[in-house]
Amino acid sequence: MVSSAIALAFLPLLLTLIIRYRFYMVLLYRAVLVRFWRDCVSGLSREERAYQYVLTHATPGDPDSILDAFDTWCSKVEFISNIGPKKGKILDRLLMEQRPLVVLELGAHCGYSSVRIARALPLGGRLYTVEMDQGNAGITEKILRLAGFDDDTVELIVNPSDEVIPKLRAEFGLERLDFVFMDHWKKCYAPDLQLLEDSGLLGKGSVIVADNVLFPGAPKFLRHVRRSGLYEWKVHRATLEYSRGIRDGMAELIYQGIV
């Protein structure tokens, strides 16, 4: 009797927690449990499964078709933390406004955002995309080729970001970065931003866009941005890619230089 009474007393709290965190539970199911099961059954990585879907459902040489296929797979089949279509439109708008000639992407993952950026480049523009995972880099290269982009437009660099950034000037001949997109490990955002500042590759007006600064979050990055005084900045509020009810945001920074 006592146990039943205690259980009944906690039932409203349990229901409240389930309702409040239902979107996070769905994300846990889709991003972790489904992935684990299909990894075991298929013998392929999640990124390889996504590539197979895109390969069979997209039109080669058509970046829009490839992005649409990715979005369908990620929203209806398995979750992958691409930037997605909603936040992707914010990125598209910023790229259209800035018309950057030299773009650095940190975290190519499986090539979704690389395609999204490359298709927006003006004539003569070039994207340098950095991915530390060999397997994901291989998928990215296939996706870029499927979309019709060659080495003249996109250069894929397979190495950790903290090793690449200090070498961009000496090994890749870069003098200035017009636009930087961060979508790699969130714990790397703050130290990599400081590496970029120290590199001398950020000029007045250089734009840095960082995804997922609210979820899963990049508090050290945002704290550095606030305290440094080097940027005009704001956070574009949105929801997590391919999810409902989970608040997220993209930070937009405009470098002002040392005051």
Side-chain angles (χ1 to χ4, degrees), residues 59-80:
T59 303
D62 184 347
D64 292 345
S65 172
I66 288 167
L67 294 175
D68 288 343
F70 257 123
D71 289 334
T72 299
W73 193 85
C74 293
S75 59
K76 296 183 178 180
V77 183
E78 289 188 61
F79 176 87
I80 284 186

Side-chain angles (χ1 to χ4, degrees), residues 58 67 90 125 158 163 208 210 227 253 256:
L67 294 175
I90 299 173
V158 187
E163 295 181 14
I208 300 100
R227 293 177 177 177
L253 286 56
Q256 300 300 304

Side-chain angles (χ1 to χ4, degrees), residues 12-26:
L13 174 62
L14 179 61
L15 290 175
T16 300
L17 291 174
I18 289 174
I19 292 171
R20 177 174 295 181
Y21 296 107
R22 65 191 183 280
F23 297 115
Y24 297 91
M25 294 178 183
V26 170

